[in-house]
Amino acid sequence: MPERLLFAAVAAISGALLVSCAAEGARERAAAGAVAGTRAAKAESVSVDGVEQLRVMVLEVLPHDPRAFTQGLEVAGGTLYESTGLAGRSSVRAGPIGRRPTRQKALPAPLFGEGITVVGRKLWQLTWRNRIAIERDARTLSEVRRVPYPDEGWGVCHQRSSNRLVTSDGSSRLTYRDPRTLARRGDVNVTQGGRPVTKLNELECVGEAVYANVLFTDRIVRIDSATGAVTASIDASGLLRKDERVHGSVLNGIAAVPGTDQFLVTGKLWPKTFRVVFVAAGRTGDSKG
């Protein structure tokens, strides 16, 4: 190769390497910036009367059955479980996150499906006003037995640290129950600033905290299960566009993703599920719509 062509080739290769290194460095800085931004947003949360003001930041948009009248949502063992309501349309379903359910069982009318939670190898499913709860095999979803449930069934989650179920009935009260028999173990009234927080619906237990959807709103509250005090108010508005909403399509469905600080959030008759983190309200950041 002539000397001048050799120099030209070396220069071209060097220039390409510099461009490639610069691009890779930019990607690394962008990734680091996104992580740092999320951490900063979490660290700089605003408190109003001792209640953290948070919002959802979307990490990923996943498909959701727009016909599902979602009443309960939970992730366990890498499987996403969902309970749906309405008499004659109620079901419980399970499958990989972000994909079609691989297992599904229908509830015969007039049963109206409500909240669910997984406890070891079993799954509890509440019914709304049918006065029964259904124990199922968590792997197959097959019904094992029915037990009396004298209250209205709304939300339920399993608090592992105390080995108890936490249930809601649409009021401001959370009731604690035995995870084997559903017998009452006690209750607590949920308050914010001394005032009751009503319409507590679908629940998710994370450590000592209980997250609850507030029915007919785009609000999720985080509750201290020992005192009933609301410790955080989470704004989940703006997830769906107006043209994606139909009559009855309200926020209802929150599931912690084990081993992360992420949650899955959806609603009744929503066409989408969102993988989110909760960050300080008022901060801006990248999100996927």
Side-chain angles (χ1 to χ4, degrees):
M1 178 182 290
E3 187 174 335
R4 66 177 181 279
L5 294 180
L6 177 62
F7 286 156
V10 170
I13 292 171
S14 299
L17 287 173
L18 287 173
V19 170
S20 176
C21 290
E24 183 63 29
R27 285 193 292 269
E28 290 179 356
R29 287 192 298 274
V35 172
T38 300
R39 289 174 178 169
K42 292 175 181 176
E44 298 178 14
S45 61
V46 177
S47 177
V48 176
D49 295 330
V51 177
E52 277 191 287
Q53 303 299 304
L54 306 174
R55 65 174 178 86
V56 296
M57 185 168 77
V58 177
L59 303 179
E60 185 180 13
V61 181
L62 302 167
H64 182 251
D65 181 358
R67 298 164 298 178
F69 199 73
T70 305
Q71 303 288 57
L73 202 68
E74 182 160 333
V75 177
T79 297
L80 176 62
Y81 295 87
E82 182 173 7
S83 172
T84 70
L86 299 177
R89 289 175 49 187
S90 294
S91 70
V92 60
R93 50 187 74 179
I97 297 173
R99 296 171 60 186
R100 288 177 177 269
T102 55
R103 289 154 284 163
Q104 182 167 328
K105 297 290 184 181
L107 276 72
L111 298 183
F112 191 120
E114 282 283 348
I116 54 170
T117 195
V118 176
V119 184
R121 297 181 179 179
K122 67 184 177 184
L123 178 146
W124 281 112
Q125 182 178 29
L126 304 185
T127 61
W128 182 29
R129 292 176 172 171
N130 304 112
R131 302 296 189 241
I132 62 167
I134 301 171
E135 181 186 335
R136 297 180 179 275
D137 182 296
R139 184 177 61 85
T140 65
L141 304 184
S142 297
E143 184 175 323
V144 176
R145 62 177 175 138
R146 299 183 181 187
V147 301
Y149 193 85
D151 301 324
E152 283 194 9
W154 286 51
V156 58
C157 62
H158 180 221
Q159 200 166 47
R160 291 172 179 80
S161 58
S162 304
N163 192 28
R164 64 186 181 185
L165 300 185
V166 185
T167 62
S168 61
D169 60 7
S171 69
S172 62
R173 182 183 64 207
L174 295 179
T175 300
Y176 305 125
R177 300 180 186 275
D178 186 284
R180 297 176 304 276
T181 66
L182 302 191
R184 286 173 176 264
R185 282 187 176 177
D187 56 49
V188 67
N189 289 316
V190 177
T191 60
Q192 180 174 340
R195 296 183 296 274
V197 178
T198 61
K199 293 185 172 60
L200 300 176
N201 199 2
E202 215 266 314
L203 305 178
E204 181 70 4
C205 292
V206 182
E208 297 301 314
V210 177
Y211 290 80
N213 287 271
V214 181
L215 187 60
F216 303 129
T217 76
D218 289 320
R219 182 184 180 214
I220 299 167
V221 291
R222 187 184 69 208
I223 304 160
D224 182 328
S225 62
T227 66
V230 170
T231 60
S233 180
I234 303 156
D235 180 2
S237 62
L239 291 174
L240 286 189
R241 302 189 309 266
K242 286 185 178 179
D243 64 340
E244 293 175 318
R245 289 184 175 271
V246 298
H247 180 69
S249 59
V250 297
L251 178 75
N252 195 49
I254 177 171
V257 180
T260 75
D261 59 353
Q262 302 170 11
F263 292 80
L264 299 180
V265 175
T266 192
K268 305 174 191 289
L269 310 178
W270 280 26
K272 298 174 181 177
T273 296
F274 300 86
R275 187 190 296 267
V276 305
V277 290
F278 300 145
V279 300
R283 286 192 55 95
T284 58
D286 293 337
S287 64
K288 298 179 181 179

